[in-house]
Amino acid sequence: MSDWWYRNITEPGKLPLLLALFAFVATFVITRTITRLIRAGKGPFRNISSGGTHIHHVVPGIILMTVGGFGAVASSTHGFGAGLAAVVFGIGAGLVLDEFALVLYLDDVYWSERGRKSVEAVVITFSLVLMLLGGLAPFEVNSLTADQQQNRLTAVLTIVVNFLFVLAALVKGKFRTAVVGVFVPFVALVGALRLARPDSLWAERLYGRRPKAARRAELRAARHAARWRGPTRRLQDWLGGFTEH
């Protein structure tokens, strides 16, 4: 176990990233627990206000992210300083992304339907950092064999082509597929080839002259929503503490 820890975490300098992830997840869980208690009127916790203005926890989150980010830049990947900066940054990121929807909509939508965007942002961030800890790098360049490394042109072409697939998936509104495609080559190809989401930039620009494609996209989106909306909402409710509407 100690040998595995050294080879996979300590030696490659991934300990700060691991600490930041733990701090990020713990902060999100603790913050959601406290906000649920405040909403229910239980426990000693109360909203923080100054001069009649409610201080959202995104504010100290931004401060902690700034301090932790600059501290990480000023530190090496090894040592106490790097670990401390990572923890501070992770706490700040947890506070900020817990109110991601507020920043996105510039409105206090924490417990509303739009507030679910915060939970989505936290889950996506957790997944990306977890993949980085697992040794994945964008486009899998770090996993090339010795023979493949001799042909950098092939690797560069793979990166460029995969980037085009990722870009196409994003324009088609396939955000999750595009994110995974950055780390796993050609996964984004699936999103790039399939119909765009009806509310995407691709559909807005191209499906206006293709009514059949627009209808197919709407039908596909409706089927996808019917299949996954329920499970997705239940997971978001469990993570974010939302109530039935």
Side-chain angles (χ1 to χ4, degrees):
M1 180 64 182
S2 59
D3 182 60
W4 178 90
W5 179 270
Y6 177 78
R7 288 187 295 104
N8 293 279
I9 301 297
T10 305
E11 186 178 27
K14 290 184 179 180
L15 183 57
L17 185 61
L18 180 62
L19 292 173
L21 180 61
F22 278 144
F24 172 76
V25 173
T27 300
F28 172 73
V29 172
I30 293 172
T31 301
R32 281 283 164 170
T33 300
I34 292 175
T35 53
R36 290 187 197 187
L37 291 173
I38 292 175
R39 192 185 191 199
K42 299 178 180 179
F45 306 104
R46 296 292 183 270
N47 290 321
I48 300 175
S49 300
S50 177
T53 301
H54 173 56
I55 307 297
H56 291 274
H57 48 267
V58 68
V59 176
I62 292 174
I63 296 173
L64 291 174
M65 282 185 67
T66 303
V67 173
F70 279 109
V73 171
S75 306
S76 64
T77 56
H78 299 82
F80 177 78
L84 178 61
V87 171
V88 172
F89 180 84
I91 294 173
L95 293 173
V96 170
L97 290 186
D98 185 57
E99 292 200 310
F100 173 79
L102 182 148
V103 178
L104 178 63
Y105 296 111
L106 295 179
D107 192 12
D108 190 358
V109 294
Y110 194 82
W111 295 114
S112 71
E113 180 70 21
R114 292 189 294 177
R116 297 175 186 274
K117 293 293 183 183
S118 297
V119 179
E120 292 181 8
V122 169
V123 172
I124 290 173
T125 301
F126 172 78
S127 302
L128 289 175
V129 177
L130 200 62
M131 285 192 288
L132 287 173
L133 278 171
L136 294 175
F139 311 112
E140 291 282 45
V141 173
N142 67 327
S143 64
L144 294 174
T145 65
D147 292 337
Q148 289 173 322
Q149 289 176 358
Q150 295 177 3
N151 191 351
R152 285 295 179 177
L153 178 60
T154 301
V156 171
L157 288 176
T158 301
I159 292 173
V160 172
V161 171
N162 197 69
F163 173 77
L164 294 177
F165 292 152
V166 170
L167 185 62
L170 284 173
V171 176
K172 285 190 170 186
K174 312 285 187 176
F175 180 72
R176 295 179 182 85
T177 304
V179 169
V180 176
V182 171
F183 291 85
V184 184
F186 301 113
V187 167
L189 175 62
V190 177
L193 293 179
R194 300 187 71 182
L195 284 170
R197 295 184 61 85
D199 57 350
S200 65
L201 180 62
W202 184 288
E204 179 184 337
R205 296 295 179 87
L206 298 180
Y207 288 175
R209 301 177 182 177
R210 300 171 56 193
K212 291 184 178 180
R215 286 195 296 271
R216 287 172 55 206
E218 291 174 357
L219 288 174
R220 182 185 292 273
R223 287 196 298 267
H224 183 274
R227 179 182 300 173
W228 296 107
R229 182 176 178 84
T232 300
R233 288 173 64 89
R234 285 192 291 271
L235 177 61
Q236 290 174 342
D237 290 343
W238 180 73
L239 289 173
F242 298 102
T243 57
E244 294 292 334
H245 297 282

